[in-house]
Amino acid sequence: MRTALRSHVGKVRQVNEDQAWSGLLGDGLTAAIVADGMGGHRAGDVASGLAVDSLVASLQAWKPDEPNADKTELLREWIRKANEVVFETASLNEQYHNMGTTVVLALIEGNNGWIGHIGDSRAYRFRDGSLSQLTDDHTLVNELTKSGQLSPEEAAHHPRRNVLTRALGTDRDVEVDVQAIDWRSGDRLILCSDGLSGLVEQQKLLEALEERNANLETQAEKLISLALDAGGDDNVTVVLVADDGADGATGGVTA
C-alpha cells in the first residue's frame, strides 16, 4: 500500500485551514484523514488541527490485536472523541467560539475498508477506469438536491453551496456516517477537501487518475493543479491511497 498527500493554500486564502494525515499502522492497516476547518480568526485551522491530532492519536494507540473488532464502531468512536476535543476547546476559549471542521477518515485492511465522515470533504474510489463518490455531502444544497428542490446544475452554482448541515466540533454530540467498502488490488482511494471537489468536475478527476505512467505523487500534484487552474479560491487538499502490491507509504500533517 502506498499513500501520497498534498495540500495548497490556494490563490485567495491567506491561511490553510485544511489538515491531513496518512500512514501505515502496522499489521497491513493503512489510514488517511482530511479535515477542512471553519471559523474566524484562525479558528478553522485550530479546529482541523485538533481533529486530526485526536484521530491520529486514536489510530496510533489502537492495538489491532482483535481481528473481529467492529471497525465501523471504532471509526465512529474515534470521530466522536475528536468532536469532543474540538467542542470543549471552543467552549473554553471565546476566540474559538463555534469553530468546527469537516472530516473524512479512511481505514484499509486487506480486502476491506471503512470510511467515516462529517461534512463535505469527500472520499472517492477509482476502480477499473471508473470513479465513484463514496461519501454523501452534509450540505444544505445537497439536501435540497436530494429532495428535488434543486437540479444538479443549480446546486453546482448555488450561492449557499458551502453551507454545512453537519460539522465536527460545533455541537456536543454529532452524528457520524460510517460505511464499509470492499477493496481490491489496483484500487485507488481519494480523500479531498471541497477545494478540489467543489471546483473540479468528476470527469476531470477521473482523467487525472487515468494518466498512464503517472506515479501516486504526480497524480496528487495534478489534482492540486486542477483546483488551482479552476480558480483556487479555497484551500485544497488531497490524499491518495493505492494498492499496487508495493509496500511503503508517505504521510504527514499539513499546516
Side-chain angles (χ1 to χ4, degrees), residues 39-52:
H41 305 293
R42 295 186 65 92
D45 60 318
V46 172
S48 59
L50 288 170
V52 170

Side-chain angles (χ1 to χ4, degrees), residues 230-249:
D233 60 4
D234 198 358
N235 310 143
V236 55
T237 298
V238 61
V239 179
L240 300 181
V241 181
D243 184 355
D244 56 7
D247 293 324

Side-chain angles (χ1 to χ4, degrees), residues 113-131:
W114 298 267
I115 308 288
H117 90 288
I118 300 172
D120 62 355
S121 291
R122 292 182 180 177
Y124 297 89
R125 180 177 55 201
F126 176 72
R127 171 183 289 173
D128 298 333
S130 298
L131 185 64

Side-chain angles (χ1 to χ4, degrees), residues 18-64:
D18 289 356
Q19 296 278 347
W21 181 91
S22 63
L24 299 178
L25 301 174
D27 292 331
L29 287 163
T30 301
I33 310 165
V34 169
D36 178 358
M38 60 185 191
H41 305 293
R42 295 186 65 92
D45 60 318
V46 172
S48 59
L50 288 170
V52 170
D53 288 348
S54 175
L55 289 168
V56 172
S58 293
L59 286 163
Q60 294 179 337
W62 178 55
K63 304 299 182 184

Side-chain angles (χ1 to χ4, degrees), residues 125-187:
R125 180 177 55 201
F126 176 72
R127 171 183 289 173
D128 298 333
S130 298
L131 185 64
S132 302
Q133 183 178 332
L134 301 176
T135 52
D136 191 36
D137 293 346
H138 299 141
T139 61
L140 174 63
V141 164
N142 189 42
E143 292 298 325
L144 293 174
T145 302
K146 290 191 294 183
S147 67
Q149 297 179 63
L150 289 177
S151 69
E153 293 75 21
E154 290 171 329
H157 303 286
H158 196 280
R160 302 189 69 191
R161 63 186 178 276
N162 295 322
V163 175
L164 299 177
T165 56
R166 204 187 307 175
L168 185 149
T170 56
D171 295 290
R172 185 174 298 277
D173 298 308
V174 69
E175 182 181 355
V176 184
D177 285 1
V178 183
Q179 61 179 302
I181 63 170
D182 66 299
W183 187 254
R184 302 177 190 170
S185 179
D187 284 355

